[in-house]
Amino acid sequence: MPASPTPAAVTAPPVPLATDRLLLRAVRRGDVAAVSRLWTDPEVRRHLGGPVTEPVIRIRQRRIVGAPGCHAVIRVEDDVLLGLVTVEPGARSGETEVSYQFLPEHWGRGYAREAVGAVVARVLEGTPSVVAVTQEANDRSRRLLEAVGLEHAESFVEWDARQVLYRRVTP
């Protein structure tokens, strides 16, 4: 059985994490406009149930700044927000789940792979496994998860679509 997350792991904003090109840090007030685009862009939301409604966006905008587990992915060279990587301890049957969204103009440059890989590595320092779920039809996301070392573990239907769960365990 996976270890239960400590209260600090659940309630604390993310500890900044740096890669060669990226800084992953807590979401700041100045990030809200770019983050809101993640919730409304049809391409980003194609495999996530479609754009989010305005009332839900307003609620999310109030809660996202400094939210536990939400990493704003910032390109170091120009301080541009590229996307979000979120970590949810205990989200799936007690396992930590990682999810991500990136703005389409930044796709295809390896930023998501770099950011998600760094977060997965950090998560595995403190928990025995990490999981991620994507729609079966989302080939790009599936390739990303495989590239950062997650393996297909199961398939199921959720939100009226075929989903795949990927898992990586601590070596």
Side-chain angles (χ1 to χ4, degrees), residues 65-123:
V65 175
C70 291
H71 298 81
V73 180
I74 308 298
R75 187 170 48 208
V76 173
E77 73 180 48
D78 56 7
D79 207 33
V80 168
L81 186 137
L82 309 176
L84 286 178
V85 178
T86 304
V87 177
E88 295 181 70
R92 292 242 173 213
S93 301
E95 290 183 281
T96 298
E97 182 174 359
V98 172
S99 58
Y100 45 89
Q101 300 173 63
F102 283 77
L103 293 167
E105 62 266 27
H106 306 298
W107 293 357
R109 296 184 176 103
Y111 295 128
R113 182 180 301 165
E114 188 173 329
V116 173
V119 169
V120 165
R122 176 173 279 174
V123 167

Side-chain angles (χ1 to χ4, degrees), residues 26 32 34 61 85 89 113 160 162:
V32 171
Q61 287 172 331
V85 178
R113 182 180 301 165
D160 296 324
R162 299 271 315 148

